[in-house]
Amino acid sequence: MKNVSRLLPLLSGIVTLSGCNHAPQKNNGQNSQKPNIIYIFADDLGIGDLSCYGATKVSTPNIDRLAGQGVQFTNAYATSATSTPSRFGLLTGMYPWRQENTGIAPGNSELIIDTTCVTMADMLKDAGYATGAVGKWHLGLGPKGGTDFNNPITPNAQSIGFDYEFIIPATVDRVPCVFVENGHVVGLDPNDPITVSYDHKVGDWPTGEENPELVTLKPSQGHNNTIINGIPRIGWMTGGKSALWKDEDIADIITHKAKNFIASHQEEPFFLYMGTQDVHVPRIPHPRFAGKSGLGTRGDVILQLDWTIGEIMHTLDSLHIADNTILIFTSDNGPVIDDGYQDQAYELLNGHTPMGIYRGGKYSAYEAGTRVPFIVRWPARVKPNKQQALFSQIDVYASLASLLEQPLRKGAAPDSQEHLNVLLGKNNTNREYVVQQNLNNTLAIIKGQWKYIEPSDGPAIEHWTKMELGNDKQPQLYDLSSDPSEKTNVSKQYPDIVKELSELLESVKEK
């Protein structure tokens, strides 16, 4: 891919990286201004995938250092157990289940955040921030009816508060396999236009179903449409050959773009929203990491993710702006092991437990679906500590607005609550409740020691991944204080608690 080969020589960085973890802070105006904010979403990373959270079969030294220098949460939740709604909830401050089209978006989906919505990026622009979105997006692009990748794409991330975008439109296992920068497909030859469909085959490019002999990473389920780089994807595409990414280069490219954004805005307050591809499928580590974890490619891309975080931290150190930068690292939802490719993720776990002690995983209403790693570092203002308070990603929006004394515009962030002191580790007051959402939009609510999952007619097991979804026609109640693994449904023993939490959940829905 031509544009990738041009980018890779620059990966040593636009800035000189310091090998010292605690470089002295120069006064470049940063220490007297509002803090920079970097929010990094890992993809499908489990609370058991990091050594700072107890993993023993894989080592994540950079993320461990981040946790050791910041606030490490043990009781923090994504809003949803899948990617699109989780990201929607963070950026809008609104529960995604309040809007119909927030399920897992295809690669040619229209932008699902209305341009009249006041996003977290809009709020930070109001507060004087330069704003950028780099990496996985998965919130759609373009108008209703789908995305035209051959002309300037609008609306895009720049339409909802971001000054700059360099994004993967959806997921890496979905077409089109291209980057979009400020509304344009990177490296696209106008004489080779892109066509994308999620309904039927387009063009004559081989597919996994028709040409299995051309596949280098075989699907375990689902992924059998257009083959790109030997990998069959979800959806069909043709055209845009000069713009296609190489999977093993994706982490390097988006890390480079993130570092570039940071360096370009070091003299002013900036907000960087960064979505990594890792550890989502297809798991194609760069050769630097391939075979290094001993846990197969899923373990290798955890090492690659740790490298990415290290590069961001080293960039901040090198520019002497780490002290005045709030760096938040988390995951969009819980882990999944086999998510569509025969990558031996199960066979090579070697005792590694991505879900930790928790039940379920990605797609699920059980704890491993949304209880995620969450780390906040701000050396100038935050003392390192472990944070056990109940916290939801939905509250990041209002909490940052409070920190900056930035009034929210009318109607903005309707579900986001201000819990700034919890976010910064200054107190451990629990949120009154946390709402969870699974693949089927079944909701659960946690309050105190209790977790209630509403009755659902949805399937008990996700067909492809064999994941427990938490759907049951009967109400479920778990005492997380004594049963964090949700082994025993005690709804019949505590009908009053079921009634209380059911009514609370209904009141949240009706808000």
Side-chain angles (χ1 to χ4, degrees):
M1 168 174 150
K2 296 176 183 176
N3 53 302
V4 171
S5 61
R6 285 192 222 104
L7 285 173
L8 289 178
L10 301 176
L11 289 172
S12 56
I14 356 259
V15 297
T16 302
L17 297 181
S18 166
C20 176
N21 290 343
H22 303 286
Q25 298 290 300
K26 69 181 180 181
N27 185 2
N28 61 357
Q30 278 273 335
N31 292 327
S32 59
Q33 73 178 24
K34 296 172 181 176
N36 309 306
I37 300 167
I38 301 175
Y39 193 100
I40 302 178
F41 255 143
D43 201 346
D44 296 354
L45 184 76
I47 201 164
D49 277 326
L50 304 173
S51 41
C52 56
Y53 279 91
T56 59
K57 300 294 184 178
V58 67
S59 177
T60 50
N62 292 304
I63 298 171
D64 292 358
R65 179 165 74 90
L66 186 71
Q69 295 174 352
V71 184
Q72 181 179 354
F73 285 69
T74 58
N75 210 8
Y77 291 83
T79 62
S80 310
T82 54
S83 170
T84 298
S86 182
R87 293 157 200 269
F88 178 95
L90 174 85
L91 290 178
T92 66
M94 181 174 81
Y95 289 125
W97 39 265
R98 296 196 190 280
Q99 182 173 307
E100 285 188 354
N101 64 335
T102 57
I104 300 173
N108 61 348
S109 166
E110 73 270 15
L111 181 68
I112 68 169
I113 298 178
D114 194 293
T115 55
T116 62
C117 175
V118 182
T119 66
M120 188 160 72
D122 286 318
M123 180 274 290
L124 290 166
K125 277 181 67 72
D126 289 347
Y129 280 67
T131 57
V134 172
K136 179 179 173 179
W137 182 239
H138 209 190
L139 291 164
L141 292 167
K144 287 186 178 179
T147 319
D148 176 2
F149 290 98
N150 302 301
N151 292 296
I153 300 167
T154 185
N156 60 11
Q158 294 175 304
S159 309
I160 54 172
F162 290 100
D163 299 319
Y164 173 75
E165 68 170 7
F166 184 92
I167 55 177
I168 298 164
T171 56
V172 176
D173 58 346
R174 285 173 170 77
V175 298
C177 299
V178 298
F179 297 109
V180 173
E181 186 169 32
N182 295 337
H184 298 270
V185 172
V186 177
L188 179 64
D189 178 355
N191 295 315
D192 183 26
I194 294 171
T195 303
V196 172
S197 175
Y198 278 77
D199 299 319
H200 59 274
K201 184 179 178 181
V202 293
D204 59 0
W205 287 12
T207 70
E209 184 175 27
E210 297 168 343
N211 302 96
E213 74 280 1
L214 300 178
V215 167
T216 57
L217 179 61
K218 294 181 180 180
S220 56
Q221 33 83 1
H223 305 68
N224 63 355
N225 301 142
T226 299
I227 300 170
I228 309 291
N229 300 331
I231 304 168
R233 316 281 169 153
I234 300 172
W236 295 268
M237 78 172 287
T238 187
K241 280 189 178 180
S242 63
L244 296 174
W245 64 51
K246 291 182 180 177
D247 293 75
E248 59 268 34
D249 293 333
I250 289 174
D252 280 357
I253 291 169
I254 64 174
T255 301
H256 162 73
K257 287 292 183 178
K259 289 161 56 176
N260 191 17
F261 180 84
I262 292 167
S264 299
H265 297 283
Q266 61 181 296
E267 301 291 344
E268 61 183 326
F270 63 80
F271 168 53
L272 172 62
Y273 170 79
M274 183 180 184
T276 72
Q277 145 68 9
D278 298 321
V279 296
H280 196 284
V281 296
R283 299 159 183 149
I284 310 295
H286 189 275
R288 298 193 307 276
F289 306 102
K292 298 294 170 46
S293 70
L295 303 178
T297 54
R298 189 177 186 279
D300 296 343
V301 295
I302 292 175
L303 302 185
Q304 183 167 269
L305 171 66
D306 187 68
W307 169 85
T308 296
I309 304 308
E311 287 293 290
I312 300 301
M313 295 167 70
H314 294 159
T315 300
L316 297 174
D317 287 341
S318 175
L319 295 172
H320 310 292
I321 59 174
D323 273 359
N324 199 38
T325 299
I326 300 172
L327 176 52
I328 301 174
F329 171 76
T330 186
S331 182
D332 61 346
N333 49 249
V336 60
I337 301 172
D338 176 355
D339 204 21
Y341 294 100
Q342 296 181 37
D343 58 7
Q344 292 190 290
Y346 268 117
E347 294 86 343
L348 297 175
L349 277 175
N350 191 29
H352 178 62
T353 53
M355 289 77 172
I357 64 170
Y358 302 108
R359 186 176 180 181
K362 181 180 180 179
Y363 309 119
S364 177
Y366 293 124
E367 284 294 277
T370 53
R371 188 191 285 238
V372 290
F374 193 89
I375 299 166
V376 180
R377 187 187 74 165
W378 184 13
R381 292 275 299 274
V382 168
K383 294 181 179 179
N385 67 89
K386 295 289 180 68
Q387 174 61 280
Q388 297 180 346
L390 190 66
F391 185 79
S392 172
Q393 291 175 4
I394 199 82
D395 295 333
V396 173
Y397 188 145
S399 300
L400 291 178
S402 174
L403 170 69
L404 301 172
E405 299 180 349
Q406 179 62 40
L408 294 181
R409 293 195 228 164
K410 184 178 180 181
D415 293 306
S416 188
Q417 300 177 6
E418 186 272 308
H419 291 289
L420 179 62
N421 285 333
V422 173
L423 182 68
L424 300 182
K426 296 183 183 298
N427 73 37
N428 58 357
T429 304
N430 282 330
R431 199 187 200 277
E432 180 192 359
Y433 60 83
V434 159
V435 177
Q436 301 165 295
Q437 175 192 16
N438 79 354
L439 175 68
N440 310 105
N441 295 331
T442 300
L443 302 184
I445 191 164
I446 298 171
K447 182 180 180 183
Q449 73 198 70
W450 299 105
K451 174 174 175 179
Y452 165 78
I453 305 177
E454 66 181 354
S456 170
D457 289 328
I461 303 292
E462 201 279 317
H463 174 70
W464 295 113
T465 61
K466 311 306 180 190
M467 183 72 71
E468 283 190 291
L469 292 173
N471 297 318
D472 195 302
K473 292 181 180 179
Q474 301 301 316
Q476 296 174 75
L477 182 70
Y478 299 97
D479 182 350
L480 296 180
S481 65
S482 61
D483 182 24
S485 302
E486 298 169 287
K487 294 178 180 177
T488 306
N489 179 6
V490 294
S491 60
K492 292 182 179 178
Q493 291 94 308
Y494 298 97
D496 292 346
I497 301 295
V498 170
K499 183 174 185 292
E500 175 192 346
L501 294 183
S502 172
E503 291 175 351
L504 175 60
L505 183 57
E506 289 305 312
S507 72
V508 174
K509 289 182 185 180
E510 294 166 4
K511 178 182 173 183

